Amino acid sequence: MIRGLRGRRNAAVALRDTVAEGHRTDRWERMGRLAAYGGSAAMAPYAVIKVSWVIGSLLGLAPVGAGFGLAEWVALNTVTVGMAVIGITLGLALAQPWGMRLPGVPLLFCAWVDPLYRAAVRYRRLRFGS
């Protein structure tokens, strides 16, 4: 009889620990989702500003940056709009269940572009000076 109670008690403790661990996991998942949504939300104003610069430049309402022609200015800002859209999409993909179906290559590519670019800029500065 005591052995049976002890077994039930251990099962209850195991169930409690499993539920507590699940709660901890849920909390970290919620924090990760919140961070991913926050990253996407932080990129949205940047994308809106860049789109307004492109439209304003094409309509002649916004000044073109110094040292750039109209075509160069529009091309540069269009590329950065695309990068912002990719960043927003990847942030949402990390927060949404549909993101689990995406291949890992785009995420790895975007994760490595910035460090490789920074390394190339540092190498150029060290090798050739600024």
Side-chain angles (χ1 to χ4, degrees):
M1 181 81 169
I2 293 175
R3 187 173 199 183
L5 288 177
R6 199 175 298 155
R8 287 183 187 157
R9 182 174 178 271
N10 288 339
V13 169
L15 179 62
R16 182 194 68 206
D17 291 345
T18 303
V19 170
E21 185 64 34
H23 176 68
R24 238 179 265 130
T25 302
D26 289 344
R27 187 173 17 167
W28 282 108
E29 285 180 7
R30 277 185 277 147
M31 288 175 63
R33 265 193 221 109
L34 183 64
Y37 285 134
S40 293
M43 287 300 295
Y46 178 79
V48 169
I49 289 170
K50 289 294 189 168
V51 167
S52 68
W53 283 2
V54 169
I55 292 171
S57 297
L58 290 174
L59 296 177
L61 301 174
V64 175
F68 290 101
L70 178 64
E72 295 165 332
W73 182 253
V74 170
L76 175 68
N77 284 303
T78 303
V79 168
T80 58
V81 166
M83 291 168 57
V85 168
I86 289 171
I88 291 168
T89 304
L90 284 176
L92 291 175
L94 291 172
Q96 296 291 326
W98 57 264
M100 296 296 289
R101 293 188 296 263
L102 295 177
V105 174
L107 180 61
L108 285 174
F109 174 76
C110 292
W112 279 98
V113 165
D114 181 58
L116 291 176
Y117 172 75
R118 289 175 189 258
V121 168
R122 284 190 187 134
Y123 173 76
R124 189 177 135 254
R125 284 184 185 161
L126 289 173
R127 178 86 170 146
F128 304 108
S130 290

